[in-house]
Amino acid sequence: MAIEDSSSLSNSIIPEGIENHDQNVLQKHVMFFDRNKDGIIYPSETFQGFRAIGCGYLLSTVAAIFINVGLSGKTRPGKSFSLRFPIEVKNIHMAKHGSDSGVYDTQGRFVPSKFEEIFAKHAKTYPNALTSDELKEFLKSNRERKDYAGWLAGFTEWKILYILCKDDHGLLKKDIIRAAYDGSLFERMAKEKESKKKAEVVGTEMLRCDGWEHKKHRDGTQTMHGVGGHE
């Protein structure tokens, strides 16, 4: 019988209550922004990713600068400073900020008990969703003393998630938050945006075929003009 190397054996032992995958969950969370799938995320890719999920130019630009400048050095230990501010996906767990929920462990693995704890402690109105006030209370409870960078990082990422994904009643639902942690939410949002864009194009073409021209203005208003004699 072959005897396993002790180091490989210890690496295969995963603490109870932690999900283990070949590609850890924190890596999956950020992989959407690695647009060319080369394991490196540049600011331009972060910008493209935010645009793909429906964020405006200003928010996408600020997010790209904030994220890449803040995380690049942490994910490139032992390497020289780069003005291109690349983020190495394989080392993303090294950039895990403080004052967080603990849903990701230090290796970037998902901890189900910590995820459930969010709702057990803070979802007081509805068991499977957070209101705006409950989200604020959750973020406040995560704060570590004088960890201002962690406070800012936590507030920013959760505020963006709330703005983009709250429902018509102002609730951030549990399944949405879970999907955000493993990154599947971003893929879903991008597909929904693309489908909506295609539907608008098809609708415009149909109007043109029927003798109408549809125009969408910068202020969000839409008008239709008759062509070929239509008024």
Side-chain angles (χ1 to χ4, degrees):
M1 181 187 298
I3 299 176
E4 292 188 52
D5 179 81
S6 60
S7 61
S8 63
L9 180 61
S10 62
N11 288 337
S12 68
I13 299 175
I14 306 301
E16 185 178 354
I18 292 178
E19 291 185 8
N20 182 49
H21 303 282
D22 291 336
Q23 180 188 68
N24 68 33
V25 177
L26 184 52
Q27 286 181 22
K28 290 182 178 180
H29 174 75
V30 303
M31 273 298 294
F32 172 79
F33 297 93
D34 181 11
R35 309 303 285 174
N36 61 1
K37 307 305 177 189
D38 65 350
I40 305 292
I41 303 173
Y42 291 99
S44 60
E45 293 179 287
T46 304
F47 173 84
Q48 292 166 16
F50 273 90
R51 288 291 293 149
I53 62 176
C55 295
Y57 284 101
L58 179 59
L59 177 55
S60 299
T61 300
V62 172
I65 295 171
F66 178 77
I67 292 172
N68 282 75
V69 171
L71 305 187
S72 179
K74 296 177 182 178
T75 66
R76 304 174 69 247
K79 295 183 179 180
S80 59
F81 173 79
S82 173
L83 282 173
R84 298 181 69 190
F85 296 106
I87 294 172
E88 295 193 8
V89 174
K90 67 180 181 180
N91 294 327
I92 192 63
H93 63 280
M94 296 180 177
K96 184 174 177 288
H97 63 77
S99 299
D100 68 349
S101 62
V103 174
Y104 297 124
D105 72 357
T106 56
Q107 297 303 310
R109 296 171 302 199
F110 183 80
V111 185
S113 61
K114 286 292 186 180
F115 177 71
E116 295 298 334
E117 190 177 284
I118 295 174
F119 299 90
K121 288 185 175 181
H122 304 285
K124 300 172 183 177
T125 307
Y126 301 96
N128 293 315
L130 296 175
T131 65
S132 177
D133 288 341
E134 289 167 352
L135 181 59
K136 291 176 184 177
E137 181 59 33
F138 161 62
L139 292 173
K140 186 177 180 180
S141 71
N142 289 337
R143 290 179 180 174
E144 298 171 8
R145 190 168 180 268
K146 294 185 178 181
D147 178 28
Y148 304 117
W151 297 7
L152 178 60
F155 173 81
T156 302
E157 60 195 21
W158 280 95
K159 189 66 174 178
I160 292 174
L161 180 64
Y162 181 80
I163 291 172
L164 293 177
C165 299
K166 65 181 178 180
D167 67 11
D168 294 338
H169 303 289
L171 299 174
L172 189 58
K173 293 184 177 179
K174 185 176 183 178
D175 62 329
I176 293 292
I177 297 174
R178 179 63 179 85
Y181 273 110
D182 66 21
S184 61
L185 175 65
F186 308 135
E187 297 286 353
R188 187 195 314 171
M189 293 173 69
K191 288 178 181 178
E192 289 176 355
K193 184 188 176 187
E194 188 63 27
S195 296
K196 184 178 180 181
K197 184 177 179 180
K198 288 180 180 179
E200 289 178 350
V201 170
V202 171
T204 300
E205 291 301 321
M206 290 178 67
L207 286 170
R208 285 177 178 170
C209 289
D210 196 37
W212 294 90
E213 186 178 72
H214 174 270
K215 290 185 178 181
K216 188 172 183 180
H217 304 283
R218 288 185 178 181
D219 62 2
T221 59
Q222 302 180 50
T223 57
M224 289 191 297
H225 301 275
V227 290
H230 288 264
E231 293 295 337

